Amino acid sequence: MAVVFERTKMLTDKQFHYCPGCNHGIIHRLVAESIDELIQEGKLEAGNVMGVAPVGCSVFAYDYFNCDMYEAAHGRAPAVATGAKRARPGTLVFTYQGDGDLASIGTAEIVHAAHRGEKIVTIFVNNAIYGMTGGQMAPTTLVGQKTTTSPHGRDEAWCGAPIKMSEMLSEVPGSYYIERCAVNTNANILKTKKAIKKAFQYQLEGKGFCMIEVLSTCPTNWGLSPVEAMKWLEENMIPYYPLGVKKDKGAE
Amino acid sequence: MALTLMKGSEAIAEAAIRAGARFFFGYPITPQTEIPEYMSERMPEVGGCFLQAESEVAAINMVYGAAGTGARVITSSSSPGVSLKQEGISYCAGAQLPCVILNVMRGGPGLGNIQASQGDYFQGVKGGGNGDYHLLTYAPSSVQEAIDIMMFAFDKAEKYRMPVLFLADGIIAQMMEPVEMPEMVDYKVDPEKKPWACTGWKPGDDPAKRGVINSIFIDTESLSEHNEVLQEQYRLAKANEQMWECYKTEDAEFIITAFGTVARIGKTVVDQMRAEGHKVGLFRPITVWPYPYDALKAACCAPQVKGILDVEVNEGQMLEDVKLAVEGQKPIEFFGHFGSQFPTTGEIRNKILEMKEAM
Ligand SMILES: Cc1ncc(C[n+]2csc(CCOP(=O)(O)OP(=O)(O)O)c2C)c(N)n1
Ligand code: SF4
Ligand SMILES: [Mg+2]
């Protein structure tokens, strides 16, 4: 019988621990499939892949991606990836980070990895909340959004407006390719996959820092069903965080 | 072999390269900036990598990344910068990553000053970062000794899979001494010897050999199992790695305890006072973790010993370990400064004479 679909080799057999309806699982698949395809296409040698997991709900990503993996301290994944990439320049290196990890505690590390034009790819999963610790406010939490530490909704006058990391990092001279995506529809899932694969391809060509931001749901801490969460993302996140290419030096 | 006159910081940096270090990540801070400066010139010459990090936090995490591939990696800083590294040091310890960290200590707390100090003894040997971990910690008292220790530091780090810390006071980095520089070691990552490292595992290979550099063990059983592995390494290091020096302690009635540069001043006091007819000796730990408690006790609790004088450039941090070793069997006094003034031979001598008179 012909194989129509199979689990990508770049994911281990370990069962994801993510909540039902969480987008982390979809994004993992897209990352893993992209790497696997590059290997199948002969562009990347199997074994020349290293990933760095963050602190956040995807902390166990080292158990899911089927390659050499690191688990970094909260926010430090870009620095860890820098050390790994400098030590093994011929490998494909990626970080996978949440918005608390990347846009709060790890801002210095991500800005300077971009600034150095570090040849790594960052997958930035923005769910506008601290998922792992139970739903606290993140720098990306929308104005008015209720979290356990903004119980009356985020107050812009008190704690600022949500930070737009993709736009910000596009301004850093060393960044090469930055795109914001979402996985809320089939079309968007395909676009995200294309973006991730393009970023990896750029890295293989020795180009600079690439980041794919993926807007993601956290039904559990948003207090919504998986379907409602997708709708909330469409109606609230996408208008504030517009999808699309923010910077692509390769297309210039 | 010929002796060359070298500045401490440069000699230590060169020794690291000769010991096989090919990656340096650091951030400028006095009094150790000559180390990154030297590395920035020298690393490319040997095909290595020097990278100035955006902070000490980033530097130690770059160490984590590079050491995870099995390479020999070093970072250096001074006290406030080493404070910033503590998070990453704890992660390196937890993930069992061999690496070398230099702390060229300056005065504290806070920004303190930029002169030499020994104020980070507690930070170095009693923790610093979170969790049950130790660092194999050396306190060299001369540039040559720092070089000699560097030549085996990576071997030890790899043997026990734990970070090695150099606790050096600023004087060692800043002074020039004639030194003998050992030959270059030929180090290459051997995946067989470092099966835990990220060296190119691929799907289909033995899953147990996939590189997973990690310090999270989420359930109680696996964390205790993991900590037991670490503790076993610490027990082995305690049993095998203690280093110390006894200087004229055999018949000494008064023993100075000191580490690093202060111990050299102490040796001069020993010689001067012996010339005057006083039986004085010195005990110097070279590893401050594992601390040579038994050796110190054997030297300092010998029947003829009347008193012990602990001398440090801090408010008496190693003093706690001296007391632990002596277990109340002998009187112990402390002499020290904590504004980075190094004690003079005269000050130490006077203190010993005072102790003698009081008896
Ligand atoms: C130094 C440090 N501070 C705080 C924490 C606690 N902590 C764990 S995960 C997390 C937030 C993660 O949120 P995010 O990066 O958005 O990931 P998500 O869980 O939403 O995917 C925090 C604050 C920690 N582990 N380490
Ligand atoms: S808490 Fe939120 S981000 Fe974390 S797994 Fe559950 S749904 Fe996903
Ligand atoms: Mg989040």
Side-chain angles (χ1 to χ4, degrees):
Chain A
M1 220 197 305
V3 178
V4 180
F5 180 82
E6 62 181 352
R7 191 181 173 86
T8 162
K9 283 189 194 62
M10 288 310 294
L11 286 176
T12 64
D13 292 337
K14 189 107 180 175
Q15 197 182 333
F16 290 159
H17 69 283
Y18 300 112
C19 307
C22 175
N23 288 177
H24 268 304
I26 304 175
I27 303 164
H28 277 29
R29 260 271 300 280
L30 300 181
V31 171
E33 283 178 359
S34 303
I35 297 172
D36 197 22
E37 284 174 19
L38 289 168
I39 295 170
Q40 302 304 326
E41 291 161 16
K43 293 177 179 150
L44 172 66
E45 213 178 293
N48 280 353
V49 188
M50 295 192 281
V52 186
V55 175
C57 278
S58 46
V59 66
F60 299 122
Y62 64 84
D63 256 351
Y64 304 145
F65 289 111
N66 208 15
C67 55
D68 284 333
M69 287 293 295
Y70 291 80
E71 203 300 303
H74 197 17
R76 318 295 178 223
V80 171
T82 297
K85 180 76 182 187
R86 299 283 176 148
R88 292 182 61 206
T91 52
L92 185 82
V93 176
F94 69 96
T95 72
Y96 186 103
Q97 303 177 254
D99 47 326
D101 196 78
L102 181 143
S104 189
I105 197 167
T107 42
E109 286 75 17
I110 194 70
V111 168
H112 283 273
H115 153 70
R116 286 188 300 270
E118 213 58 63
K119 288 159 192 63
I120 61 171
V121 168
T122 290
I123 308 297
F124 169 36
V125 180
N126 180 1
N127 57 10
I129 206 156
Y130 284 11
M132 191 197 204
T133 40
Q136 294 76 33
M137 187 180 72
T140 43
T141 294
L142 297 181
V143 172
Q145 187 184 338
K146 286 186 180 165
T147 70
T148 61
T149 52
S150 58
H152 307 294
R154 183 186 186 127
D155 176 1
E156 182 175 347
W158 189 252
C159 49
I163 191 166
K164 297 181 178 180
M165 290 307 292
S166 287
E167 285 78 356
M168 178 180 151
L169 291 172
S170 302
E171 291 300 316
V172 176
S175 60
Y176 190 85
Y177 168 50
I178 303 214
E179 180 164 351
R180 185 182 288 120
C181 305
V183 288
N184 59 321
T185 62
N186 287 349
N188 278 344
I189 290 177
L190 291 176
K191 273 190 195 161
T192 305
K193 165 112 178 258
K194 226 176 119 194
I196 291 172
K197 197 168 168 190
K198 182 157 131 190
F200 283 144
Q201 248 156 342
Y202 277 147
Q203 188 186 151
L204 293 177
E205 290 162 17
K207 304 295 199 303
F209 176 83
C210 300
M211 183 175 87
I212 306 304
E213 174 175 348
V214 188
L215 301 182
S216 182
T217 58
C218 177
T220 302
N221 289 303
W222 290 358
L224 300 171
S225 73
V227 175
E228 287 166 347
M230 284 294 199
K231 193 156 175 272
W232 192 89
L233 181 142
E234 270 161 34
E235 290 174 356
N236 298 279
M237 284 185 81
I238 294 179
Y240 187 82
Y241 295 114
L243 305 183
V245 177
K246 306 294 158 189
K247 183 178 191 177
D248 186 354
K249 281 192 190 170
E252 279 164 15
Chain B
M1 220 188 281
L3 291 177
T4 25
L5 194 63
M6 280 187 95
K7 191 169 181 169
S9 44
E10 296 180 351
I12 294 169
E14 179 62 29
I17 286 173
R18 303 239 175 156
R22 286 297 177 273
F23 294 86
F24 178 94
F25 304 100
Y27 188 83
I29 182 169
T30 310
Q32 63 79 55
T33 301
E34 294 85 348
I35 297 175
E37 283 172 349
Y38 185 89
M39 290 297 199
S40 68
E41 184 74 37
R42 189 75 175 106
M43 274 298 186
E45 286 176 8
V46 294
C49 161
F50 163 86
L51 190 63
Q52 182 168 320
E54 63 270 30
S55 69
E56 290 85 352
V57 175
I60 189 69
N61 282 286
M62 291 173 186
V63 168
Y64 186 92
T69 69
R72 289 191 160 177
V73 191
I74 185 166
T75 182
S76 78
S77 188
S78 177
S79 312
V82 177
S83 293
L84 274 186
K85 286 188 199 291
Q86 292 303 327
E87 175 197 52
I89 292 174
S90 169
Y91 275 72
C92 287
Q96 297 184 273
L97 282 183
C99 57
V100 174
I101 301 146
L102 304 175
N103 181 359
V104 179
M105 290 179 283
R106 65 186 237 183
L111 209 44
N113 64 15
I114 57 169
Q115 275 77 42
S117 159
Q118 297 186 318
D120 304 343
Y121 182 91
F122 282 158
Q123 187 198 55
V125 308
K126 305 290 177 191
N130 59 299
D132 270 327
Y133 76 91
H134 293 287
L135 307 173
L136 187 47
T137 307
Y138 295 95
S141 83
S142 70
V143 178
Q144 186 66 56
E145 189 174 55
I147 294 171
D148 295 343
I149 293 171
M150 186 63 79
M151 294 315 289
F152 61 72
F154 286 99
D155 298 329
K156 301 290 183 198
E158 286 161 6
K159 178 170 179 193
Y160 299 100
R161 284 191 60 190
M162 65 193 280
V164 166
L165 173 69
F166 276 63
L167 210 52
D169 49 66
I171 301 225
I172 301 218
Q174 292 302 318
M175 73 182 159
M176 290 190 86
E177 286 199 289
V179 294
E180 201 180 291
M181 193 55 76
E183 293 296 309
M184 187 82 79
V185 166
D186 185 26
Y187 175 79
K188 280 198 182 59
V189 182
D190 180 353
E192 296 293 312
K193 284 190 186 148
K194 290 187 172 174
W196 48 266
C198 295
T199 50
W201 186 91
K202 57 184 181 307
D205 290 353
D206 177 2
K209 286 194 176 151
R210 186 165 68 91
V212 178
I213 309 299
N214 172 42
S215 69
I216 183 171
F217 297 86
I218 202 70
D219 57 272
T220 47
E221 289 78 17
S222 57
L223 182 61
S224 25
E225 253 172 57
H226 174 66
N227 272 317
E228 181 48 43
V229 171
L230 299 185
Q231 292 302 323
E232 176 59 16
Q233 294 308 306
Y234 301 150
R235 282 192 287 274
L236 288 171
K238 277 186 191 170
N240 301 318
E241 301 304 334
Q242 294 179 27
M243 288 173 69
W244 67 89
E245 182 188 2
C246 286
Y247 186 66
K248 301 187 181 171
T249 51
E250 301 77 28
D251 62 343
E253 292 175 354
F254 289 88
I255 294 183
I256 300 167
T257 53
F259 70 98
T261 309
V262 181
R264 285 174 85 173
I265 305 170
K267 273 190 189 174
T268 310
V269 176
V270 170
D271 291 341
Q272 283 176 356
M273 292 191 76
R274 282 202 172 250
E276 295 166 4
H278 305 286
K279 287 186 174 164
V280 181
L282 176 131
F283 182 91
R284 170 175 83 91
I286 299 171
T287 48
V288 283
W289 196 93
Y291 197 82
Y293 291 108
D294 293 341
L296 189 146
K297 186 177 182 184
C300 294
C301 296
Q304 85 287 351
V305 176
K306 294 185 176 140
I308 299 156
L309 176 65
D310 181 57
V311 188
E312 302 176 56
V313 184
N314 58 44
E315 92 317 345
Q317 299 190 10
M318 185 181 82
L319 177 63
E320 293 192 358
D321 284 321
V322 175
K323 284 183 176 170
L324 273 175
V326 170
E327 294 178 313
Q329 292 182 30
K330 301 281 179 182
I332 304 172
E333 295 270 330
F334 173 74
F335 183 77
H337 296 297
F338 33 80
S340 288
Q341 308 93 325
F342 270 61
T344 64
T345 50
E347 284 175 322
I348 300 173
R349 177 179 170 274
N350 287 345
K351 186 74 192 179
I352 294 172
L353 291 178
E354 259 174 45
M355 286 171 71
K356 227 176 155 174
E357 264 163 41
M359 277 171 186

